[in-house]
């Protein structure tokens, strides 16, 4: 199956700092990548759809100035959590699709962010 | 997760069969996917149904009834390693592309 690499897997940072998370599709080109957020024992909540070469599309309630997404190439999307606060602590997961209709997503291993 | 409903927890015995049901909101509905997630891990794709009927992949099968806005995941010959959370996900058309929204997940515990 396709491989999506995400790092770092875990990051601890101080309140007010920014954190960058990288998501790479290793063996295929991903025109579209998705960023999800997951709280403990909760569902995956779609944050934004990242399109190569264009601006990301954010879901309602997600602050685009706080969660900066860049999809500069067909194999790399980045999520930057700016001026992180404790309430931003969560599990962030990226995913990419090989199919045209995105019904089958390949997920990265996730990033556990802890903001102190 | 508000547009999909699935049980929060299910317990089943090793070797048995278990069915996890999922009902979904029909607005913009295109298909239903199922994912497995072990604690601390990433979700992995199990199956996808766009049309009514049963899709079989080894021990796992998935069913969809569009007229009933309902689907289920069937796990046969349960193994201890099947203990995980299972998410149904609704594929819908939005923001210029197809997107997946996930249910809250069903935590399956397989006991000896």
């Amino acid at each position: 199956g396709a491989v999506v690499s995400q790092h770092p897997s875990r990051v601890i940072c101080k309140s007010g700092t920014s954190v960058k998370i990288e998501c790479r599709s290793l063996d295929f080109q991903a025109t579209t990548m998705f960023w999800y957020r997951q709280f403990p024992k909760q569902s995956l909540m779609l944050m934004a759809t990242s399109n190569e070469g264009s601006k990301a599309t954010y879901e309602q309630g997600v602050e685009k100035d706080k969660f900066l997404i860049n999809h500069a190439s067909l194999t790399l999307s980045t999520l930057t959590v700016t001026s992180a606060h404790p309430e931003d602590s969560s599990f962030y997961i990226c995913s990419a699709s090989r199919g045209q209709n995105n019904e089958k997503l390949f997920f990265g291993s996730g990033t556990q962010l802890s903001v102190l | 997760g508000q547009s999909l409903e699935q049980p929060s927890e299910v317990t089943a015995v090793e070797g048995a069969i278990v069915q996890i049901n999922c009902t979904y909101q029909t607005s913009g509905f295109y298909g239903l996917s199922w994912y497995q997630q072990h604690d601390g891990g990433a979700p992995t794709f199990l199956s996808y149904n766009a049309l009514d009927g049963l899709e079989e992949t080894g021990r796992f099968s998935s069913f969809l009834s569009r007229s009933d806005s309902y689907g289920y995941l069937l796990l046969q010959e349960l193994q201890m390693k099947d203990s995980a959370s299972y998410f149904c996900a609704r594929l819908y058309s939005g923001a210029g592309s197809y997107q997946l929204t996930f249910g809250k997940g069903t935590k399956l515990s397989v006991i000896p």
Side-chain angles (χ1 to χ4, degrees):
Chain A
V3 178
V4 175
S5 173
Q6 181 177 345
H7 80 272
S9 58
R10 180 179 292 274
V11 60
I12 301 172
C13 69
K14 292 183 179 179
S15 184
T17 60
S18 293
V19 175
K20 189 176 191 178
I21 302 170
E22 290 191 352
C23 180
R24 294 179 185 272
S25 55
L26 297 185
D27 54 355
F28 67 102
Q29 294 182 329
T31 306
T32 304
M33 290 186 175
F34 302 91
W35 286 94
Y36 289 85
R37 182 175 181 177
Q38 187 177 33
F39 292 102
K41 303 186 188 303
Q42 298 292 317
S43 183
L44 294 95
M45 301 299 296
L46 180 63
M47 298 176 66
T49 302
S50 172
N51 300 297
E52 186 268 337
S54 64
K55 291 183 179 180
T57 302
Y58 290 82
E59 294 300 299
Q60 191 174 8
V62 178
E63 299 177 59
K64 60 181 180 181
D65 294 330
K66 180 163 189 64
F67 299 99
L68 300 179
I69 292 173
N70 184 279
H71 194 154
S73 77
L74 287 172
T75 59
L76 174 65
S77 177
T78 61
L79 168 68
T80 302
V81 183
T82 62
S83 186
H85 291 285
E87 58 265 28
D88 298 324
S89 299
S90 187
F91 191 55
Y92 294 87
I93 317 177
C94 70
S95 66
S97 170
R98 297 190 71 167
Q100 183 178 2
N101 294 332
N102 302 326
E103 72 276 12
K104 183 176 182 178
L105 298 181
F106 296 93
F107 283 84
S109 54
T111 299
Q112 183 63 55
L113 172 63
S114 299
V115 185
L116 305 178
Chain B
Q2 295 179 353
S3 58
L4 299 105
E5 296 289 337
Q6 56 182 126
S8 58
E9 294 182 8
V10 172
T11 300
V13 178
E14 190 176 15
I17 299 173
V18 71
Q19 178 174 314
I20 300 174
N21 298 320
C22 174
T23 56
Y24 59 84
Q25 185 181 59
T26 57
S27 175
F29 178 81
Y30 197 79
L32 194 70
S33 293
W34 289 90
Y35 287 80
Q36 178 193 62
Q37 185 180 29
H38 287 96
D39 283 347
T44 56
F45 174 84
L46 292 177
S47 68
Y48 172 70
N49 296 69
L51 302 175
D52 286 359
L54 193 68
E55 293 283 342
E56 298 182 70
T57 309
R59 294 188 297 114
F60 295 1
S61 304
S62 59
F63 172 83
L64 178 68
S65 170
R66 297 177 72 104
S67 60
D68 295 323
S69 303
Y70 162 77
Y72 65 73
L73 178 69
L74 190 72
L75 297 85
Q76 302 182 73
E77 300 173 19
L78 280 174
Q79 302 175 9
M80 299 300 289
K81 67 178 182 179
D82 296 330
S83 294
S85 290
Y86 293 84
F87 294 88
C88 58
R90 185 176 72 100
L91 185 70
Y92 66 100
S93 178
S97 68
Y98 291 98
Q99 297 173 316
L100 276 178
T101 186
F102 286 76
K104 292 186 176 180
T106 299
K107 184 174 176 61
L108 172 64
S109 298
V110 181
I111 58 176

